[in-house]
């Protein structure tokens, strides 16, 4: 699989599509000649061709033609455009018997299967740090109990290929389909929430006299280092917090101020609200 020319189509190559194409180029296991990307307008397609260079992936505005050529189609369209592009007989025929991977928030496996009854389907929810190879992606697929048609079942080989694609831009794992709205609220929207917290911490540093650029650098590295501690030590965040919190010290004073502002509840509710909206996007 993916051993033929233009065998992977990135349908709707915007920010996330470009991140994945870039990750595949860095990973080096899929030749650029095996990738074709599409754009809505010729101007954008021309910009992609200039960006990728003569040895890079082909770029076109012909969605149907690109899907006919490809073995695997990665759909990176906005959720509002999915039905327009996919829900027609010509596209159903072009994608029959192929693997279709969707990264759209809110567009469920069942909806995709309604449009594409003869295609194997996997949903993926990546996030924007994929642009620098530090993304997180969660996948889901039908099982034998939930698939509307046997043709909608993605095989273990197809799942492994999808994992390999998204591991080129960061970490990747598989969960049940019923959890994808929660994943969207936490993983897809999560970077924006972190940027708000990072900016607020930098503001605190500025208020206490640090130059803005210095405060931002320190705050960003604090987030990077703290996140790496969680991922690399397997310790619970509470245990890591306790390592920093000495009796009668400055850290516990700051933590109590955060708790006065109901920081835990606000952040948890933030993810909850984003997940609810994600469920309505499809």
């Amino acid at each position: 699989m993916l051993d033929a020319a233009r065998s992977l189509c990135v349908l709707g190559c915007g920010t996330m599509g470009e991140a994945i194409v870039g990750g595949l180029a860095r990973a080096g296991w899929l030749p650029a000649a095996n990738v074709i990307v599409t754009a809505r307008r010729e101007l954008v397609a021309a910009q992609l061709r200039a960006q990728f260079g003569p040895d890079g992936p082909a770029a076109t505005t012909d969605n149907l033609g690109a899907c006919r050529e490809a073995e695997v189609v990665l759909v990176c369209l906005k959720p509002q455009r999915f039905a327009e592009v996919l829900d027609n007989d010509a596209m159903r025929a072009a994608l029959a018997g192929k693997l279709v991977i969707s990264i759209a928030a809110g567009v469920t496996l069942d909806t995709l299967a309604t449009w594409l009854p003869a295609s194997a389907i996997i949903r993926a929810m990546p996030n924007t740090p994929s642009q620098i190879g530090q993304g997180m992606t969660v996948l889901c697929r039908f099982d034998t109990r939930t698939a509307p048609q046997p043709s909608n079942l993605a095989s273990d080989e197809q799942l492994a290929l999808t994992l390999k694609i998204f591991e080129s831009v960061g970490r990747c794992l598989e969960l049940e389909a019923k959890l994808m709205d929660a994943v969207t609220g936490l993983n897809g929207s999560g970077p924006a929430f972190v940027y708000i917290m990072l900016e607020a911490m930098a503001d605190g540093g500025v208020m206490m006299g640090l130059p803005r650029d210095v405060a931002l650098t320190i705050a960003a590295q604090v987030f990077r280092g703290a996140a790496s501690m969680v991922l690399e030590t397997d310790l619970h965040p509470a245990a890591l917090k306790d390592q920093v919190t000495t009796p009668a010290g400055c850290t516990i004073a700051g933590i109590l101020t955060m708790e006065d502002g109901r920081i835990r509840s606000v952040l948890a509710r933030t993810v909850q609200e984003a997940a609810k909206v994600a469920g309505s996007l499809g």
Side-chain angles (χ1 to χ4, degrees):
M1 189 176 287
L2 297 187
D3 55 0
R6 299 185 179 182
S7 53
L8 173 66
C9 170
V10 180
L11 194 65
C13 189
T15 299
M16 192 56 65
E18 289 182 43
I20 294 166
V21 170
L24 290 170
R26 290 190 299 272
W29 59 268
L30 182 64
N34 293 29
V35 181
I36 183 170
V37 305
T38 75
R40 192 172 188 176
R41 294 178 293 127
E42 176 55 35
L43 175 62
V44 177
Q47 290 172 342
L48 289 170
R49 286 192 287 270
Q51 176 183 328
F52 296 145
D55 298 323
T60 179
T61 58
D62 184 2
N63 290 331
L64 186 60
C67 289
R68 282 173 174 157
E69 287 192 56
E71 300 172 21
V72 176
V73 175
L74 176 61
V75 189
C76 299
L77 302 167
K78 298 293 186 184
Q80 297 83 356
R81 291 200 62 221
F82 263 58
E84 170 193 345
V85 175
L86 298 181
D87 190 15
N88 60 79
D89 290 339
M91 189 60 83
R92 273 186 279 277
L95 296 177
K98 298 178 179 180
L99 172 62
V100 176
I101 307 164
S102 163
I103 70 165
V107 181
T108 66
L109 289 174
D110 286 331
T111 298
L112 292 164
T114 300
W115 297 333
L116 304 172
S119 301
I121 298 168
I122 291 177
R123 275 191 72 189
M125 178 46 57
N127 61 16
T128 54
S130 298
Q131 295 175 68
I132 59 167
Q134 295 295 321
M136 180 69 224
T137 304
V138 178
L139 310 177
C140 71
R141 58 176 172 163
F142 286 116
D143 60 33
T144 54
R145 297 172 293 110
T146 60
Q149 304 288 338
S151 52
N152 292 138
L153 283 168
S155 67
D156 289 344
E157 179 186 8
Q158 289 171 325
L159 177 68
L161 174 63
T162 307
L163 284 164
K164 190 173 183 179
I165 289 171
F166 285 100
E167 283 171 349
S168 71
V169 293
R171 294 177 181 243
C172 189
L173 56 84
E174 181 188 9
L175 291 176
E176 295 179 73
K178 67 181 181 181
L179 299 174
M180 289 302 281
D181 287 343
V183 166
T184 302
L186 179 59
N187 187 56
S189 302
F193 308 150
V194 171
Y195 299 143
I196 293 289
M197 291 185 283
L198 195 159
E199 185 182 27
M201 287 180 61
D203 284 344
V206 171
M207 184 172 64
M208 297 309 297
L210 293 175
R212 170 66 63 181
D213 59 340
V214 172
L216 277 172
T217 297
I218 293 172
Q221 185 60 38
V222 165
F223 271 80
R224 174 189 280 179
S228 296
M229 288 285 285
V230 173
L231 292 172
E232 295 179 19
T233 67
D234 288 329
L235 291 173
H236 192 280
L240 293 167
K241 176 204 70 179
D242 287 347
Q243 291 179 5
V244 189
T245 310
T246 55
C250 55
T251 303
I252 190 61
I255 288 172
L256 290 176
T257 301
M258 294 173 71
E259 299 289 9
D260 288 343
R262 299 174 57 243
I263 185 71
R264 294 172 187 267
S265 175
V266 168
L267 290 175
R269 295 296 187 191
T270 296
V271 173
Q272 181 185 40
E273 190 62 25
K276 286 181 179 179
V277 173
S280 69
L281 291 178

